[in-house]
Amino acid sequence: MEFTLTTWNVNGIRARIENVTEWLNINNPDILCLQEIKCLEEDFPKEIFTSKGYNVYLVGQKSFNGVAIISKFSSIETKKNIICVSNDMQSRSIECTFEINSFKFIVCCIYLPNGNPIDTDKFTYKIEWMDNLKNYIKKELTKEIPYVVLGDFNVIPTRNDVKNYEEWIDDALFNKLSIKKYRELVNIGLYDCHRLKQIPFKQYTQWDYQRGAWQNNNGVRIDHILLSSYATRYLTGYKIDRNERSKNKPSDHVPVTAMLNIA
DNA sequence: ATGCCGGGCGAAGCCCGA
């Protein structure tokens, strides 16, 4: 049995309803993970998805952040805000456990803090969040259930994931410490679908709204789908939906999809 | 060029994102 798993930072679900609906109708994903829904749960347009047979799991927040897992499969266990720093109230993580024909797997959807500018507490918050993410996922991997962590990581993993890396040295997305923390995370045993499928260099998932970033293909690859070692054997496909950025009123991020075959 | 777009809030201009 084959199914698709998509991550998409929509930059406000209510502002993106038309784009998301059109994309959904064409692509018919099995699991759609959203970041930056930017609304409370009661303001999330659930009917768009439930009317098409999806289950909607989300953790909202007024104006900012917020993540959702929208799935044709029903979750047997859902955990919200599992990764946080001290007692802050930012909604940036949600995890669902699915079971399909006695095949169990876990999906964790994250919106990792941006962290700019780097000389402020926003950056220390990002780094602390990344430490907590690593510790949490490490514990989850001991369950030995195929595990997927995906979302907007706000980290450019290598200089091949950005047009001109020199311009990003002092940015929280490409700062040395951000990359070090990202490597610490993947080194607990996670594999990037983008690398597993040997996608060529310089393929991006986000283009800024400003300075003609899209027109100049001045993008960054910061939206990732990472698999545990137990999950890698099921990966059959991967794609970045680059064309979505050229649509009317687009998000600055595009959908990234992995295909898994579990039977 | 650390805010030039764009979203949210809320009704003007500020906070936030990357």
Side-chain angles (χ1 to χ4, degrees):
Chain A
M1 190 239 175
E2 204 156 57
F3 65 93
T4 63
L5 191 58
T6 297
T7 178
W8 193 4
N9 180 326
V10 289
N11 188 19
I13 186 63
R14 288 170 295 175
R16 217 64 61 207
I17 284 174
E18 285 185 25
N19 307 57
V20 171
T21 304
E22 190 191 346
W23 187 88
L24 200 71
N25 287 339
I26 294 168
N27 292 278
N28 192 29
D30 294 292
I31 302 175
L32 175 61
C33 299
L34 304 177
Q35 301 87 36
E36 280 203 270
I37 60 173
K38 291 188 172 180
C39 64
L40 290 166
E41 175 148 17
E42 58 260 41
D43 297 320
F44 188 93
K46 288 187 180 175
E47 327 70 51
I48 291 174
F49 304 100
T50 54
S51 66
K52 297 179 195 298
Y54 287 96
N55 304 282
V56 177
Y57 309 97
L58 71 92
V59 54
Q61 184 183 329
K62 194 175 171 70
S63 308
F64 307 114
N65 309 318
V67 287
I69 296 179
I70 291 154
S71 170
K72 288 184 178 171
F73 316 115
S74 61
S75 171
I76 57 172
E77 188 183 6
T78 305
K79 296 183 193 169
K80 301 176 180 182
N81 284 340
I82 41 192
I83 298 122
C84 50
V85 171
S86 55
N87 54 357
D88 78 284
M89 296 299 289
Q90 298 191 26
S91 296
R92 293 177 175 276
S93 59
I94 187 168
E95 184 190 82
C96 289
T97 301
F98 299 105
E99 191 169 2
I100 312 169
N101 305 331
S102 74
F103 176 85
K104 229 188 224 188
F105 65 103
I106 302 173
V107 175
C108 182
C109 168
I110 65 158
Y111 174 46
L112 206 148
N114 172 293
N116 274 311
I118 54 173
D119 56 351
T120 66
D121 54 3
K122 291 191 178 185
F123 188 65
T124 51
Y125 177 80
K126 174 179 194 166
I127 297 305
E128 204 176 329
W129 206 94
M130 293 183 83
D131 279 331
N132 294 350
L133 173 67
K134 178 186 68 183
N135 292 334
Y136 179 78
I137 304 290
K138 200 176 195 175
K139 214 181 300 167
E140 289 293 274
L141 294 190
T142 64
K143 293 177 181 172
E144 301 189 353
I145 296 171
Y147 197 92
V148 185
V149 51
L150 79 177
D152 177 358
F153 284 69
N154 270 317
V155 175
I156 302 165
T158 75
R159 60 180 63 178
N160 299 314
D161 299 307
V162 58
K163 194 175 186 185
N164 301 311
Y165 75 91
E166 297 94 339
E167 296 173 5
W168 293 81
I169 299 292
D170 295 325
D171 193 287
L173 274 63
F174 195 67
N175 178 276
K176 265 188 180 162
L177 188 55
S178 302
I179 292 174
K180 180 173 183 284
K181 291 297 167 184
Y182 179 81
R183 286 179 183 163
E184 285 180 10
L185 171 69
V186 297
N187 285 348
I188 66 176
L190 294 170
Y191 301 84
D192 183 354
C193 291
H194 190 92
R195 298 290 180 233
L196 289 172
K197 298 310 279 185
Q198 304 183 29
I199 308 298
F201 290 159
K202 308 286 184 186
Q203 301 297 306
Y204 313 127
T205 65
Q206 190 273 353
W207 296 259
D208 202 287
Y209 288 118
Q210 301 175 81
R211 296 169 236 179
W214 169 246
Q215 288 74 14
N216 299 314
N217 194 28
N218 195 4
V220 291
R221 191 173 76 86
I222 56 176
D223 300 273
H224 309 304
I225 304 177
L226 308 183
L227 305 179
S228 69
S229 58
Y230 281 95
T232 55
R233 59 180 303 203
Y234 305 109
L235 182 69
T236 54
Y238 172 86
K239 70 166 180 180
I240 298 171
D241 220 330
R242 195 176 190 282
N243 184 47
E244 197 59 31
R245 187 63 177 78
S246 65
K247 297 278 175 69
N248 189 39
K249 263 182 71 92
S251 168
D252 48 343
H253 298 250
V254 297
V256 180
T257 299
M259 186 175 281
L260 302 175
N261 192 336
I262 57 169

